[in-house]
Amino acid sequence: MATKETPAVSLPPVPPLGSSEDAPLLITDEEQRETKINLHPLSMLNPPPNPGLWSECSSNIHEESKTIISHIKSVLVFQLTSGSIENVEDMVKCANNAFFSLDILDADYTSFYKDVKNFIAYHFDLLATKSQREMQSFPEPKTRYEDAISCAKGHKDEIFRIQDDMVAIMKKKETFERQMVEAMELIGRLKQCVDVLKQNEEALKHKKQKCVADHVVASLKVQNLHTQVEAAKDVLREIEQRENQLSMALSLPLVA
């Protein structure tokens, strides 16, 4: 049994998302447009059509149109949540382009519209809050405060370094003072040794002088004794000569 094919439905061309071409102008007057922007960017968001119109034609939406509607919503969600768009006005433009395409497809997007509007409103409030925080941050006093803290910390660190240097110097000073005391004690002992040596030197000098005097006396005595010895030798020689002469005389024969 042959299946009856569903005739293809010719859909109107859908403008690309994010494009402002062929998008409906919300406000024709430039001054009114600027006034709305100054009031709130969400005032430029296109509201959905009368919900009563969707109940009449929702059953006639083709499956292919439903796929396109789902794709349009997904693309808009990605554009808003990916972080590629941060400006609220650009978000509103993308949303309006998507809503325009959904209007052409007779889609019921009341709930989706509320979610998108709330998301953009939250994003707008977040940006406003960040702006207020930046205005109240007082960067210059904060910088001076941080510089003062850094300077105080630097001085504190320098104090600690100086204290460490002072401790090292005090240890060296104590070492040198102890060495000085030991050196002074050694000097005292050396002075005592020098005094003893001086006394010994004086005693030896006195003894030397006495020895020199005794040597002079002994030398004179030696000279006197030498003279006496020489004189005695002369006398002894004379005696020996006489003795020899007498001996020779006695050795001569007697003549009767």
Side-chain angles (χ1 to χ4, degrees):
M1 179 177 179
T3 304
K4 184 178 180 181
E5 296 182 356
T6 304
V9 178
S10 177
L11 298 175
V14 179
L17 294 177
S19 173
S20 60
E21 185 178 357
D22 296 331
L25 295 177
L26 299 178
I27 303 173
T28 56
D29 186 76
E30 186 67 22
E31 293 182 356
Q32 292 181 357
R33 182 175 182 276
E34 291 181 357
T35 302
K36 280 194 173 184
I37 292 175
N38 292 331
L39 292 175
H40 201 293
L42 287 176
S43 61
M44 298 178 61
L45 194 64
N46 287 339
N50 187 358
L53 299 177
W54 288 317
S55 60
E56 300 176 359
C57 58
S58 58
S59 58
N60 298 327
I61 296 178
H62 194 268
E63 290 297 328
E64 185 177 355
S65 298
K66 292 181 180 180
T67 302
I68 296 175
I69 291 171
S70 177
H71 176 71
I72 292 173
K73 291 181 179 180
S74 299
V75 171
L76 178 59
V77 170
F78 175 78
Q79 289 177 329
L80 296 179
T81 60
S82 63
S84 59
I85 302 176
E86 296 184 356
N87 187 280
V88 175
E89 294 182 11
D90 293 338
M91 288 184 173
V92 171
K93 290 179 181 179
C94 289
N96 284 338
N97 289 334
F99 295 157
F100 176 72
S101 300
L102 295 175
D103 287 340
I104 294 177
L105 296 173
D106 294 329
D108 181 0
Y109 61 93
T110 303
S111 177
F112 180 67
Y113 171 83
K114 291 180 180 179
D115 293 339
V116 171
K117 183 177 181 180
N118 289 335
F119 178 84
I120 297 176
Y122 292 150
H123 186 77
F124 176 80
D125 292 340
L126 177 61
L127 293 179
T129 302
K130 287 183 178 180
S131 177
Q132 291 177 356
R133 179 176 59 81
E134 291 176 357
M135 292 177 62
Q136 299 297 329
S137 61
F138 301 105
E140 185 176 352
K142 182 180 179 181
T143 301
R144 292 200 302 268
Y145 173 71
E146 292 175 350
D147 292 342
I149 291 178
S150 177
C151 183
K153 184 179 181 300
H155 290 312
K156 186 176 181 180
D157 294 340
E158 184 66 19
I159 290 173
F160 288 149
R161 285 193 294 269
I162 292 174
Q163 288 179 344
D164 293 339
D165 294 340
M166 289 179 63
V167 170
I169 290 175
M170 290 177 65
K171 289 182 178 179
K172 289 183 179 180
K173 186 185 71 172
E174 291 175 356
T175 301
F176 290 149
E177 287 178 346
R178 184 173 61 255
Q179 292 177 352
M180 286 177 61
V181 172
E182 294 174 354
M184 292 177 68
E185 292 176 353
L186 178 61
I187 290 173
R189 292 194 296 270
L190 292 175
K191 283 184 176 180
Q192 292 177 357
C193 293
V194 170
D195 293 338
V196 172
L197 293 174
K198 285 183 177 180
Q199 292 175 0
N200 294 336
E201 182 183 13
E202 292 296 328
L204 291 174
K205 285 182 179 180
H206 180 71
K207 187 176 182 179
K208 179 182 177 182
Q209 291 175 356
K210 185 176 181 301
C211 289
V212 169
D214 292 342
H215 178 265
V216 171
V217 173
S219 297
L220 294 174
K221 187 175 182 180
V222 168
Q223 290 178 0
N224 292 332
L225 291 173
H226 178 71
T227 302
Q228 293 177 6
V229 169
E230 291 297 327
K233 286 181 179 180
D234 292 340
V235 172
L236 182 60
R237 279 195 298 270
E238 291 178 357
I239 292 173
E240 287 178 350
Q241 289 177 0
R242 185 172 178 78
E243 183 180 2
N244 290 332
Q245 290 175 357
L246 292 173
S247 296
M248 290 178 63
L250 290 175
S251 63
L252 293 175
L254 291 176
V255 178

